[in-house]
Amino acid sequence: MIQEEILVNIVDELKTIVGENYVFVDDETRYDYSHDETEDLSFIPDIVVKPADAEEISAILKLCNKHKIPVTPRGAGTGLSGGALPVNKGVVVSMERFNKILAIDERNFQATIEAGVITQVFQEAVIAKGLYYPPDPSSRGSSFIGGNLAESSGGPKAVKYGVTKDYVLNLEVVLPTGEIIWTGANVLKNATGYNLTQLMIGSEGTLGIITKIVFRLIPYPGKDVVMLVPFKSAEQACEAVNAVLLSGVRPSALEFMEKEAIEWSARALGITINVPDYIEAHLLIEVDGNDMDALLKDAEKIYEVVGRFDIDEPLLGETSQQKEELWKIRRNIGHAVKSNSIYKEEDTVVPRAELPKLLKGVKEIGKKYKFKSVCYGHAGDGNLHINIVKGDMTEEEWNTKLPEGIKELFRLTVELGGTISGEHGIGFVQRPYIDIALTGKHISLMKEIKKVFDPNNILNTDKIF
């Protein structure tokens, strides 16, 4: 918390840097920037500031570094690990004015954009040019690209196309001490020193504030086939994931949804979907490309593979509207679960073939600790989102027993060769569990890197460690 005697001076200096209209100390604004989508946590900052360019951020960080004031960078506030929470108050730097697509270079299949551009807006802009930026987190309609980079977000298309980090060539970053650097070069190959670009991606806003990004793009695949396959066993649905991929077909999406996940989401959206009582889970499978005949052959092969399991009749999205509704259901699950109960979401990831063991273990641990879970996720890359809902648990069970259950979940995940976060990051809420996934040496190396970039520890403090 900024001491009262220097708060007024800091506010005046910030107004000089960004303009009087972009510095906020009123209660309403400070509350609005005190929380993200992480459970029900809220930490009120002292000041909210909305800069417009890297030079303004540089001046803000120099000022805060001088007075050792905590700074929390913030995108759209869609995070699920508390990465944008100002847990030590101080200054929130909102990136919402960094909303420009600066260039789409069709000749070199590249784009340069600012960190506050909404992911879907960027995707649609490049599609209009016949190009494609595949990473598409469920929050793509509201999340900022900069936040996607901070967490190295994935999304459904990761199974075929990879995650955010696979498309970044270069970054403009403002360091905690105020220097502005470009981390790499606008080229596909770069073996010139340490890879600072990839170091920044997934660093959760602890090493610098990303202001501009140069992305590589690929040609846009204009056609797709989408099917929803109901399984009578959730574990068999997980087993079918690897079977599909071993068939030689490379789906552009392969999503797992338990029965309640799909029912809650469809109900929240007002979409009618009939899920018989004997169905435990679904796979949402998409193939894409430019040759519809080839895609239909892939779909036939997928149908043949999943038909070896105990399934009900698959639903084929025959129209654009049907496909869109199926994807809406999938993308809305997180919000639907949140609206049904107090919950905690864990973002586990294991080698794909271990997914059935993970799901089975989740249910066994739930019985042991008396919690209910609703699971869904990017099964094609082994990423399972475990939504633990409070349901009938008492406050004491929720606050004291559940953390032990979560530890057991994470230990199982690591034993299966996985780790405790695939795309949501460690942030604030997963810090107590990081030593389950990383050794003391791992953590000490990361802390030393943090110290090099941020000697006064002002930027996004008390995150990850």
Side-chain angles (χ1 to χ4, degrees):
M1 182 174 180
I2 303 174
Q3 294 178 2
E4 192 66 37
E5 56 267 27
I6 66 169
L7 179 60
V8 174
N9 291 335
I10 295 296
V11 168
D12 287 342
E13 291 192 59
L14 289 171
K15 287 179 178 178
T16 301
I17 293 168
V18 302
E20 189 168 345
N21 292 333
Y22 299 107
V23 178
F24 302 86
V25 292
D26 62 287
D27 290 346
E28 182 179 355
T29 303
R30 289 163 58 224
Y31 174 75
D32 287 343
Y33 289 81
S34 72
H35 57 88
D36 58 10
E37 292 295 319
T38 309
E39 302 166 22
D40 57 355
L41 300 175
S42 176
F43 299 87
I44 308 290
D46 294 297
I47 306 168
V48 175
V49 60
K50 302 180 181 181
D53 56 40
E55 287 72 23
E56 289 185 356
I57 292 180
S58 172
I60 293 166
L61 290 176
K62 286 177 181 176
L63 174 65
C64 292
N65 200 50
K66 176 182 174 183
H67 295 282
K68 296 183 174 58
I69 294 170
V71 176
T72 305
R74 180 185 172 93
T78 59
L80 293 165
S81 64
L85 299 179
V87 296
N88 291 310
K89 298 185 176 294
V91 176
V92 164
V93 174
S94 171
M95 300 299 290
E96 61 202 82
R97 296 174 69 197
F98 285 73
N99 59 2
K100 293 186 272 306
I101 297 173
L102 300 171
I104 299 175
D105 181 353
E106 297 167 70
R107 291 172 60 244
N108 288 305
F109 283 54
Q110 293 181 9
T112 304
I113 72 172
E114 292 184 327
V117 174
I118 293 172
T119 308
Q120 187 173 346
V121 170
F122 174 50
Q123 288 178 314
E124 291 173 353
V126 299
I127 286 172
K129 304 283 188 181
L131 300 172
Y132 192 35
Y133 172 70
D136 61 339
S138 293
S139 60
R140 71 189 186 118
S142 54
S143 63
F144 291 174
I145 280 285
N148 293 174
L149 266 68
E151 307 298 347
S152 193
S153 298
K157 303 299 173 69
V159 62
K160 179 176 181 179
Y161 293 107
V163 297
T164 301
K165 68 180 178 61
D166 300 311
Y167 293 86
V168 181
L169 299 175
N170 203 357
L171 299 171
E172 182 186 68
V173 176
V174 185
L175 301 178
T177 44
E179 296 92 344
I180 303 171
I181 65 168
W182 281 93
T183 58
N186 301 355
V187 292
L188 295 173
K189 289 181 176 180
N190 186 348
T192 312
Y194 294 147
N195 194 332
L196 297 180
T197 303
Q198 291 298 324
L199 179 60
M200 284 291 167
I201 299 168
S203 64
E204 304 191 38
T206 62
L207 302 181
I209 298 180
I210 297 168
T211 50
K212 294 189 183 79
I213 309 102
V214 180
F215 286 108
R216 75 174 183 91
L217 306 171
I218 60 175
Y220 178 61
K223 303 181 188 303
D224 59 44
V225 175
V226 180
M227 66 175 73
L228 184 68
V229 185
F231 286 78
K232 297 177 184 178
S233 160
E235 285 181 50
Q236 279 200 12
C238 292
E239 290 169 10
V241 170
N242 225 33
V244 169
L245 291 162
L246 286 170
S247 74
V249 177
R250 189 68 179 271
S252 49
L254 224 175
E255 298 288 293
F256 170 84
M257 298 176 283
E258 277 196 303
K259 177 185 176 70
E260 284 176 304
I262 195 169
E263 286 181 330
W264 290 0
S265 182
R267 185 167 61 243
L269 292 167
I271 296 173
T272 301
I273 186 164
N274 179 35
V275 183
D277 291 341
Y278 54 82
I279 295 300
E280 289 189 355
H282 290 75
L283 290 182
L284 180 64
I285 308 173
E286 177 192 88
V287 289
D288 69 1
N290 292 299
D291 183 340
M292 183 54 77
D293 289 338
L295 295 181
L296 290 173
K297 287 179 182 177
D298 283 345
E300 287 175 12
K301 188 176 284 190
I302 291 169
Y303 184 81
E304 178 188 330
V305 171
V306 298
R308 300 171 198 159
F309 297 86
D310 198 2
I311 66 168
D312 220 0
E313 188 64 29
L315 171 65
L316 186 68
E318 295 182 352
T319 67
S320 296
Q321 182 180 349
Q322 286 177 330
K323 295 174 188 177
E324 186 178 333
E325 284 190 348
L326 290 175
W327 273 115
K328 273 185 180 178
I329 290 170
R330 166 59 190 90
R331 293 185 187 282
N332 188 59
I333 290 174
H335 288 292
V337 172
K338 187 173 185 177
S339 66
N340 267 271
S341 172
I342 295 172
Y343 83 117
K344 291 181 183 291
E345 181 171 353
E346 309 304 340
D347 171 41
T348 57
V349 59
V350 293
R352 191 168 48 231
E354 305 300 333
L355 205 51
K357 291 181 183 176
L358 176 61
L359 183 66
K360 182 181 179 182
V362 167
K363 299 306 178 182
E364 290 173 349
I365 293 167
K367 287 179 183 176
K368 178 178 176 181
Y369 289 92
K370 300 181 180 178
F371 67 75
K372 176 182 175 59
S373 63
V374 178
C375 298
Y376 66 97
H378 315 305
D381 45 66
N383 189 189
L384 187 69
H385 298 319
I386 305 165
N387 282 257
I388 300 170
V389 296
K390 187 169 184 286
D392 296 328
M393 292 182 75
T394 66
E395 286 295 323
E396 182 183 357
E397 288 170 335
W398 183 255
N399 293 320
T400 61
K401 289 187 178 180
L402 182 58
E404 294 304 311
I406 292 172
K407 285 180 184 177
E408 200 162 320
L409 282 177
F410 287 156
R411 289 191 194 104
L412 171 65
T413 303
V414 172
E415 285 168 10
L416 292 172
T419 193
I420 68 175
S421 180
E423 58 185 8
H424 293 169
I426 299 300
F428 179 69
V429 296
Q430 306 293 31
R431 297 179 315 152
Y433 310 109
I434 193 169
D435 61 354
I436 295 173
L438 301 177
T439 68
K441 187 60 177 177
H442 280 106
I443 295 169
S444 68
L445 283 170
M446 291 182 182
K447 287 182 175 179
E448 289 301 313
I449 291 169
K450 166 71 169 168
K451 193 180 295 183
V452 169
F453 280 81
D454 187 9
N456 286 324
N457 192 30
I458 66 161
L459 192 59
N460 219 11
T461 52
D462 288 336
K463 306 295 167 59
I464 303 178
F465 314 118

